[in-house]
Amino acid sequence: MPAYESQDRQSLHYIVRSGIAGGTAGCVAKTAVAPLDRVKILFQASNPDFQKYAGTWSGTFRAVAKIYGENGFRGLLQGHSATLFRIFPYAAIKFMAYDQIEGVLMPTRESQTNLRRFTAGALSGMISVLFTYPLELIRVRMAYYTRAASHSPETYHRPSIRSVMQHIYNEGAVRPPPPSGSTLVRTAVQTQQSLFMRFPLLKFYRGFTVTIAGIIPYAGTSFLAWGFLRARFLPPNNSSSKAKSHPMADLSFGAVSGALAQTVSYPFEVVRRRMQVGGLTRPDRWLRWGETVRTIWSAGGWRGFYIGLSIGYLKVVPMTAISYAVWQWERRILGL
């Protein structure tokens, strides 16, 4: 075991290696489940071309077959370039932040508690989202576009990162406020239009608040379960307080952590996806929490908040397992 202890965690050398390990782990895991990730986004955002497939395991594979039939293998990876562009800094910051926060809150094995594990995970998730959210929005928009939904399916071209960024920046031509409704509603719409005109970069933060709210239970639960399972089932090294690590154990603990995190945070994710693609349906203003929740509820009741959950498990469980396993493997290689 390398002799890098907790007091070295704040050194630039340690931080850079920690970021490389986390970023690479995120890219490997995301690439492994990229086709399922695109289908899940289409389900969650209620893309009209794919709603009929949502809700069943067989529908998931029929959706994959439809995308493959229309656009080939590249169609399954649509938006993946933006995913990698976003996931490397996201995962790098998340795991790097967790390393730093863990060193402060839980410097020894004896100081580890479930509350501290949850807090460290939630804070690391919030920090990573804060710095990388615009890249997430671009990724979702790229995955949402389909050939059938385009104005000219015969001349359909897969959206590029640049074209999506331009579309988001320029969307939202000012519309007059609706003639009916209260003065308060009209004033709110005018205020949002004014904000978009004065600060166009705000358009890249559609759905940000619900994302922050959702990342707290997701990242917190994920790292809580991960830390608890390792402390419970892996004995510490003789030479340090760190638990011994084994690839199969890392995969198993990561899978359980991913399943639990997905379950507790999934309704937030559905609301977030709807708000992220809201610029395509209401480009002139923000979609608020309340109206998004009401829209989902009116369309499908409580089940609407869990649409695509089966594919969520199919995607998140192996993705989280691979992410944690590769992270730990790289930590061993890099001497962390």
Side-chain angles (χ1 to χ4, degrees):
M1 177 64 63
Y4 295 103
E5 300 300 336
S6 59
Q7 62 265 26
D8 299 317
R9 293 193 183 197
Q10 294 183 354
S11 69
L12 180 61
H13 189 216
Y14 186 101
I15 291 173
V16 170
R17 287 178 297 141
S18 177
I20 292 174
T24 304
C27 289
V28 172
K30 273 290 188 181
T31 301
V33 298
L36 296 175
D37 197 26
R38 190 187 178 205
V39 173
K40 190 182 80 164
I41 289 174
L42 292 170
F43 285 177
Q44 289 177 329
S46 291
N47 186 290
D49 301 322
F50 287 85
Q51 278 186 300
K52 59 185 176 182
Y53 301 118
T56 64
W57 289 88
S58 60
T60 298
F61 294 104
R62 290 202 302 272
V64 170
K66 175 180 172 65
I67 296 172
Y68 182 81
E70 291 183 347
N71 300 293
F73 185 71
R74 292 184 66 188
L76 296 174
L77 297 180
Q78 182 170 307
H80 189 56
S81 57
T83 297
L84 295 180
F85 188 53
R86 169 247 177 194
I87 198 61
F88 185 88
Y90 171 83
I93 293 172
K94 181 180 71 173
F95 285 116
M96 183 171 58
Y98 183 80
D99 262 346
Q100 296 298 314
I101 297 170
E102 181 189 41
V104 174
L105 297 181
M106 299 173 286
T108 65
R109 190 178 178 91
E110 292 72 22
S111 63
Q112 294 177 357
T113 66
N114 288 334
L115 178 59
R116 290 176 179 176
R117 294 182 184 114
F118 183 91
T119 302
L123 288 175
S124 63
M126 292 171 66
I127 292 170
S128 59
V129 166
L130 178 64
F131 284 101
T132 62
Y133 186 79
L135 300 176
E136 163 70 0
L137 180 66
I138 294 168
R139 176 185 79 94
V140 170
R141 291 292 187 88
M142 290 182 70
Y144 182 79
Y145 290 117
T146 61
R147 178 186 295 270
S150 64
H151 296 295
S152 180
E154 295 77 12
T155 59
Y156 170 77
H157 296 287
R158 294 189 313 125
S160 65
I161 294 177
R162 180 179 177 181
S163 66
V164 172
M165 289 179 65
Q166 289 177 334
H167 186 276
I168 295 173
Y169 187 85
N170 294 320
E171 71 187 7
V174 178
R175 301 176 181 175
S180 60
S182 66
T183 303
L184 183 61
V185 171
R186 292 197 300 271
T187 302
V189 172
Q190 289 175 322
T191 300
Q192 290 173 351
Q193 291 173 343
S194 177
L195 282 174
F196 277 165
M197 293 299 293
R198 293 170 57 193
F199 307 105
L201 292 180
L202 285 178
K203 300 170 187 177
F204 290 89
Y205 280 85
R206 292 181 185 270
F208 177 73
T209 55
V210 73
T211 302
I212 284 291
I215 200 65
I216 293 173
Y218 181 83
T221 301
S222 180
F223 278 106
L224 185 159
W226 166 259
F228 173 80
L229 291 171
R230 284 174 61 84
R232 178 69 176 81
F233 294 104
L234 294 182
N237 270 328
N238 294 329
S239 58
S240 75
S241 61
K242 294 182 179 180
K244 294 180 180 179
S245 189
H246 187 275
M248 287 307 299
D250 294 335
L251 285 169
S252 300
F253 297 161
V256 174
S257 301
L260 292 174
Q262 180 78 345
T263 302
V264 301
S265 65
Y266 196 78
F268 290 98
E269 188 172 353
V270 173
V271 175
R272 171 168 63 104
R273 296 299 189 205
R274 293 291 187 90
M275 295 176 72
Q276 286 175 331
V277 301
L280 301 176
T281 55
R282 294 303 305 266
D284 56 317
R285 64 180 182 84
W286 295 99
L287 286 179
R288 296 183 296 276
W289 277 59
E291 65 178 311
T292 306
V293 169
R294 285 193 296 271
T295 299
I296 296 172
W297 178 268
S298 62
W302 68 268
R303 295 178 184 273
F305 294 95
Y306 289 92
I307 188 169
L309 180 59
S310 58
I311 191 176
Y313 286 133
L314 195 62
K315 172 209 144 185
V316 168
V317 170
M319 183 189 73
T320 311
I322 293 171
S323 179
Y324 277 118
V326 174
W327 178 47
Q328 288 299 304
W329 176 75
E330 291 221 43
R331 284 174 60 85
R332 292 191 291 271
I333 294 297
L334 297 174
L336 297 174

